[in-house]
Amino acid sequence: MLERMPADPAANEPPPESVDSLTELLRSGDDRQLLALLRSRPDLATPPPTDSAVLAARATVRSSVTRACEDLDSFSLNVLEALVLLDADERTVSLERLTGFFGGEATREQLRSRIDPLRERALVWGPDEALRTAVTVRETIGAHPAGLGAELGGLSEQRAREVLAELDDEELGVVTKLAGASPIGRTGQAKPGAERSDTPIGRLLLRGLLLRRDENTVELPRELGLAARGDRPMGNVATAEPVPELDEHGQQRIDGTAAGEALELNRHVELLLESWGQEPPDVLRSGGVGVRDIRELARKLGSDETRAALVVELAAGTGLVDTSPEEDPQWVPTVQADVWLAASPEHRWALLAGSWLELPRLPGLIGSRDARDRLLGTLSEGLRRSSAPRDRRRVLELLDEQPGGWGFRRDDGVAAVLAWRAPRRGGSMRDELVTWTLREARALGIVALGGLSSAGRALLTGDESAAAGVMASAIPEPVDHVLVQADLTVVAPGRLEPELAAELNLAADVESAGSATVYRVNESSVRRALDAGRSSEQLRELFEQRSRTPVPQGLTYLIDDTARRHGKLRAGTASSFLRCEDPVVLTEVLGKQRLAHLGLRRIAPTVLISPLPLEQLVDELRGNGYAPVAESTDGGVLDLSRGPQRIKGRGRYGGARGEPSNSARPDEQQLTERVRTLRAGDQAAATRGNTIAPERGRPSANATLELLREAARQSHSVWLGFVDAQGGATQRIVRPVSVGGGVLQGFDSARGELGDFPLHRITSVAVVDQ
């Protein structure tokens, strides 16, 4: 059975080609064309090119061509593929011939709409009657442009059609299948000498109509593929991006849903800081957090492991947790965590969301394996990807293009549009990157119901404070009451006031979170509140005053019963002591064999002492079914819970960032300066051959001074080779005005201005023949 498989791209890097026609075109073009080229391909501008020949050579280097092709849409790549198939890297191709090659799938005007941007990027050059490309374009496109195989040779177009007509139905089916998106197929019938005439693949191999690549792989020759496609050599061509399916939800509904997700994210990060502040997980030898620790965190958050891993990545990326400096490091909350905890909900969210947008990591890879088959865990180095911020912005910017209040119906609709706009971006993970980004953006409250939230739009501008202000307007006002149910559940009908939320989290456990959080009161939660120093009267008062529904009698019984049994044993420090008004209880404790290691000794009918620290004594008794409370020196309840650990930390992103932003690229003024330098280099290259007394190598100081002074006296221009302030070699045509103080002052003809040229940076000089 024949299986389709993707074609392998070309892998070898050829030496740079000399493209004289492109050099002449750049040299004869105007400055606007050069500026457009450097804007669209900023890698060509750094370091500044010295002349058009250097710029043309850079523009045709394979790595630069590959980078330029990453931003091309599917139709533009189809145009490049067609030019490659028409051998535009070896001979000129007319737009008329190119149009005919598309077989009616694209009109002349549609093709011109793509040719002009390709010219701007110097991927294609020449007039409509003589289009050209570089050899490296063929290599970048790959071994199978437009899904067509290698040329067989000796098979004319007419003969290919005749051969196709001679095939039987089975053979024609194989050829038609391989004439689709990829000419490569896998089969068990390709072993040399094992061809069978009773199978269609065997017959095609015997007749030389299939190319054998190895014993399991065959390839359909290009001539047969073109013949099978008939009047559509390029196959199916998508000349416009797919139209996505959108649903109208209304911006208010999207923002409300996003605000709920933002509050839930804040709660989960707060639980993470609380948990790791008490029991920090160890840093694995390979880096990152162990699977067991993530699983335990997911249990505490009441979520799945994917969500827990994302919360950890966000906390680390925001600088809220980091590795401790000890010999056996742990993941510990930083001092920044306390600042974050003290902030308002909207500012908490803005810090997390802003950090995620610029996070140079891919949390979506967690659980997969790298090239060495090693498992990629949470916070491991294998998740680092410098292009991650750019890929996230591409997804969010597409959502930003849609009308406010509208959202994509499905995630694959987003992936389809981005795949058409830039099919080469993202590689094999292209569509997965979209899925991961949308999932994480929904968890952050940046995206909801397939649309971008108002706060998300503000965040894309880079202003976290403005985004926080927008999110604040979407977050509902906190409520000051709850609804106590007969089944001992407590419903919070919205975000609670901080003080009420803290008391309720102490006295009850979260059962389900969301826009309306459900808490459950049980013996364990009541005991937790009592351990923290709350009395039964305070707990009853909490529910009676804050509940809009009558407090059920069962809740009152639970609080009173737990409080009655709570604190009968009173622990203190002697190293520690244990006292009880009922001597029988102490006798029972002394008589238990499994408590013998506590070293308890009776010093009074109602007092026992132990050599163990107070905290350990209380923990051991609680683990054996008792409910002691710690007692302070004044007889009050002592809270033994450990304070959260904190370290300094390395700040946001763990000291790493993604790819340089657009602001790191040359700005318009710098690009204009590079064009001037390039024009000066062209002028110098054109006039250098007509020189008087050229010097070889670095000129001596005396010879340089004498030559420059004589040129100034005679008003002759000179050709200068020198090193600029950035260390780049360049050439200029200058008319010296004065020479002195180690500086040549002269009129730069290319720039049209007077400039200073330090003599120590001049590497060569020659007088230009007038």
Side-chain angles (χ1 to χ4, degrees), residues 19 21 79-94 97-98 115 123-125 130-135 137-138:
V19 187
S21 59
V79 173
L80 278 184
E81 289 175 329
L83 289 170
V84 166
L85 290 170
L86 293 172
D87 299 325
D89 56 333
E90 299 175 1
R91 61 184 68 87
T92 61
V93 175
S94 68
R97 187 183 178 196
L98 179 66
I115 289 291
L123 295 172
V124 173
W125 60 90
L131 300 172
R132 291 292 305 271
T133 65
V135 173
V137 171
R138 178 184 296 273

Side-chain angles (χ1 to χ4, degrees), residues 4-70:
R4 299 294 300 279
M5 62 178 289
D8 293 330
N12 297 324
E13 179 74 35
E17 298 289 338
S18 174
V19 187
D20 294 336
S21 59
L22 178 58
T23 302
E24 291 303 318
L25 185 67
L26 294 174
R27 188 172 291 152
S28 60
D30 57 32
D31 290 355
R32 290 178 300 175
Q33 293 173 320
L34 291 178
L35 279 172
L37 172 60
L38 297 181
R39 283 192 209 102
S40 61
R41 296 175 64 177
D43 60 303
L44 302 182
T46 306
T50 55
D51 56 32
S52 294
V54 172
L55 181 61
R58 282 188 197 171
T60 54
V61 170
R62 181 177 177 178
S63 59
S64 181
V65 171
T66 300
R67 193 176 297 114
C69 286
E70 285 185 349

Side-chain angles (χ1 to χ4, degrees), residues 406-423:
W406 290 76
F408 280 79
R409 185 170 297 174
R410 294 186 299 273
D411 289 357
D412 56 7
V414 181
V417 174
L418 292 176
W420 187 90
R421 289 186 177 183

Side-chain angles (χ1 to χ4, degrees), residues 288-304:
V289 184
V291 175
R292 184 177 301 175
D293 295 314
I294 294 296
R295 190 175 296 126
E296 175 62 19
L297 178 63
R299 185 190 65 79
K300 292 180 179 179
L301 299 184
S303 66
D304 56 25

Side-chain angles (χ1 to χ4, degrees), residues 479 495-507 519:
V479 297
R495 178 168 65 99
L496 297 177
E497 292 179 343
E499 181 183 351
L500 175 58
E503 291 298 317
L504 200 57
N505 283 324
L506 192 63
Y519 297 83

Side-chain angles (χ1 to χ4, degrees), residues 85 87 101 147-164 167 175 178-179 183 208-211 213 219-230 233:
L85 290 170
D87 299 325
F101 197 69
L148 294 170
E151 293 181 324
L152 184 60
L155 188 62
S156 66
E157 183 179 342
Q158 177 63 30
R159 179 54 187 157
R161 287 197 294 266
E162 293 173 356
V163 168
L164 203 65
L167 300 180
V175 171
L178 293 179
L209 300 179
L210 281 181
L211 304 176
R213 292 311 178 199
E219 180 178 344
L220 182 70
R222 181 175 301 177
E223 295 86 346
L224 280 183
L226 288 170
R229 291 182 179 183

Side-chain angles (χ1 to χ4, degrees), residues 40 67 251 293-294 309 326 331 351 353 360 370 597 684 725-726 741 749:
S40 61
R67 193 176 297 114
Q251 193 62 52
D293 295 314
I294 294 296
E326 290 87 5
W331 292 102
L351 188 62
D370 62 11
H597 65 285
Q726 288 74 39
S749 58

Side-chain angles (χ1 to χ4, degrees), residues 270-293:
E270 187 174 348
L271 289 173
L272 164 70
L273 297 176
E274 178 184 342
S275 174
W276 285 14
Q278 299 293 337
E279 299 178 4
D282 295 328
V283 178
L284 300 179
R285 290 184 179 180
S286 57
V289 184
V291 175
R292 184 177 301 175
D293 295 314

